[in-house]
Amino acid sequence: MSLFAELTASVNAVRPGRTRMRNTDLLLVLAASTLLMLGLLMVYSASIGLADGPRYASYGRYYFVIRHGLFMVAGLLGGALVLCVPMRVWQRLAFPLFGVALALLVAVLIPGIGREVNGAHRWIPLGPLNFQPSELMKLVAVLAAANYTVRKQEHMQSFVHGFLPMALALMAVGMLLLLEPDLGAFIVIVAIAIGILFLGGINGKYFSMLLAVLGSTFLLLIWLSPWRRARLFAYLDPWNDANAYGSAYQLSHSLIALGRGEWFGVGLGASVEKLHYLPEAHTDFLMAVVGEELGFVGVVLVIVLFGIILQRAFDIGRQAIAMERTFAGLVALGVAMWFGVQSFINMGVCLGLLPTKGLTLPLMSYGGSGIVMNLCALAMLLRVDHENRVMMRGGRV
């Protein structure tokens, strides 16, 4: 065979491999879409009976599912815009966006601007909608921590130039969130930031010190807050009569719902606990309704779908870093840590593995700001994957 024939055969052997590469991560999109559709279905099931009670009597049976569907549409539109913006632009916008998110966390505490619900100041009313700045801060924390790690790469072993600025930023965010109060959002944001710092190569001694300080702070906050302390003790003994009718009321009914579901569930729409027994069944405790109506199989399905999203996100991030796109890679890993930590806490609370904490289940629970920010984060992950594929084809981003 001539040299030209060998080269031609080699080119023909390579070309099909290139044309078979998809333009997007199909497995990631399918897993996320399934969670979104399942979430819409379960929000409908969990909320349809709320109109029978006095609190939501004027809302109507389809109030929550219609709003959830509209929030999903808004999130998809926002995600489409995010998907069109190159990662290099997001890198330039990281710190300005952090400033905006920080200002919104301040604004929510100002009387006349922020809205108070059950003693918490977490929302800014925008006409018929309520915007929750802490959800925006989760996405911005991913960008800011990734940008900070890239810019300070040479100083990650330094206390003054590498560790201290990020520690002070986390303290500022933490103080504002604890004034709302919103300990759950603070835990997620801290997990995102320290996870990205760890992957970015921060000094091990400083990293251990940060973990020790944060752990001590969380324990102190629990001990100094009577309602948090009561939740912890109730978690340790949820079936005690005083706890079951008090601080462990949600937990005990969540466990009853999961117990009723057994292997295959009582059937879609047949949940009893959602009928005013389990508070916040369509938000924080949606997983309990999944377990009651779809059983152990439904719970495992949700866990597997989240596992697929995390696996694909970590793979996309690793791929970006391997191509020396450190910022994009850290953003993908940050999104993975966000979804992983928040879903673990939500499921852990519903399953009785963790003390009760008000956090929604990403991509599934009812909540306008949450679902919109989740979809924007997912779009950013898909943008990183798109740019990876463009570079693997020999293009530029």
Side-chain angles (χ1 to χ4, degrees):
M1 182 183 292
S2 66
L3 179 60
F4 176 77
E6 291 179 2
L7 290 174
T8 303
S10 176
V11 170
N12 290 334
V14 173
R15 188 175 298 159
R18 290 184 176 181
T19 56
R20 282 198 298 268
M21 182 186 292
R22 296 188 179 93
N23 293 323
T24 189
D25 193 316
L26 184 60
L27 188 59
L28 174 61
V29 173
L30 286 176
S33 300
T34 304
L35 284 174
L36 283 170
M37 293 300 102
L38 181 61
L40 183 65
L41 180 64
M42 297 312 300
V43 166
Y44 169 67
S45 178
S47 64
I48 191 171
L50 293 179
D52 296 331
R55 182 179 177 184
Y56 301 108
S58 61
Y59 282 50
R61 291 182 176 274
Y62 309 108
Y63 175 83
F64 290 103
V65 69
I66 290 174
R67 285 175 66 90
H68 189 69
L70 293 175
F71 291 142
M72 284 176 56
V73 172
L76 290 171
L77 293 175
L81 294 176
V82 169
L83 191 59
C84 295
V85 180
M87 293 308 299
R88 64 177 183 275
V89 176
W90 288 118
Q91 186 171 6
R92 290 198 298 269
L93 294 175
F95 284 156
L97 287 174
F98 181 78
V100 171
L102 202 63
L104 290 173
L105 288 180
V106 174
V108 80
L109 299 173
I110 300 174
I113 298 180
R115 181 191 177 196
E116 179 184 351
V117 178
N118 297 327
H121 301 79
R122 300 179 185 176
W123 300 270
I124 296 177
L126 301 173
L129 306 176
N130 292 309
F131 175 67
Q132 192 170 356
S134 59
E135 293 295 335
L136 173 63
M137 180 55 82
K138 292 174 186 176
L139 180 59
V140 171
V142 173
L143 296 172
N147 186 35
Y148 178 84
T149 302
V150 171
R151 291 176 63 247
K152 296 286 186 177
Q153 192 65 52
E154 298 178 358
H155 304 288
M156 292 303 288
Q157 301 297 314
S158 168
F159 178 82
V160 175
H161 300 290
F163 170 79
L164 190 59
M166 180 56 74
L168 292 175
L170 285 177
M171 286 177 59
V173 172
M175 288 176 60
L176 293 171
L177 288 173
L178 293 176
L179 287 172
E180 294 187 3
D182 195 349
L183 181 61
F186 182 41
I187 292 173
V188 174
I189 289 169
V190 166
I192 292 169
I194 65 174
I196 291 177
L197 287 175
F198 176 76
L199 294 173
I202 192 173
N203 184 287
K205 180 175 65 176
Y206 301 146
F207 181 76
S208 301
M209 182 173 65
L210 179 62
L211 288 180
V213 170
L214 289 172
S216 302
T217 302
F218 289 140
L219 290 176
L220 186 63
L221 288 170
I222 292 172
W223 184 255
L224 294 178
S225 303
W227 71 92
R228 292 190 181 117
R229 193 165 63 245
R231 281 183 175 182
L232 178 60
F233 291 146
Y235 154 74
L236 297 174
D237 188 12
W239 301 115
N240 181 285
D241 288 344
N243 293 333
Y245 291 99
S247 299
Y249 182 81
Q250 284 179 299
L251 174 58
S252 60
H253 280 276
S254 176
L255 295 176
I256 291 171
L258 291 165
R260 290 192 73 245
E262 297 184 352
W263 287 101
F264 299 102
V266 297
L268 188 63
S271 167
V272 171
E273 287 298 320
K274 70 184 181 183
L275 302 176
H276 308 286
Y277 293 103
L278 177 61
E280 307 300 333
H282 59 304
T283 56
D284 300 346
F285 282 85
L286 187 68
M287 195 65 173
V289 181
V290 172
E292 185 177 4
E293 296 190 351
L294 304 181
F296 177 78
V297 173
V299 172
V300 170
L301 173 63
V302 172
I303 293 174
V304 168
L305 290 171
F306 273 109
I308 291 172
I309 291 176
L310 298 185
Q311 187 273 330
R312 296 309 308 143
F314 275 108
D315 193 49
I316 290 168
R318 178 196 58 78
Q319 206 167 45
I321 292 174
M323 291 188 290
E324 299 183 353
R325 302 178 59 243
T326 307
F327 172 77
L330 290 176
V331 167
L333 296 173
V335 172
M337 285 182 280
W338 171 7
F339 282 26
V341 170
Q342 186 162 329
S343 60
F344 173 76
I345 293 175
N346 178 276
M347 293 180 193
V349 167
C350 292
L351 297 173
L353 302 176
L354 297 172
T356 303
K357 181 91 277 323
L359 276 176
T360 57
L361 188 61
L363 300 174
M364 291 188 67
S365 292
Y366 174 82
S369 302
I371 199 73
V372 170
M373 291 299 109
N374 291 162
L375 288 170
C376 287
L378 190 64
M380 200 166 289
L381 180 60
L382 290 172
R383 178 69 200 190
V384 176
D385 177 60
H386 169 73
E387 293 185 0
N388 287 348
R389 293 169 187 267
V390 169
M391 289 192 67
M392 283 189 285
R393 292 190 179 100
R396 291 185 178 183
V397 294

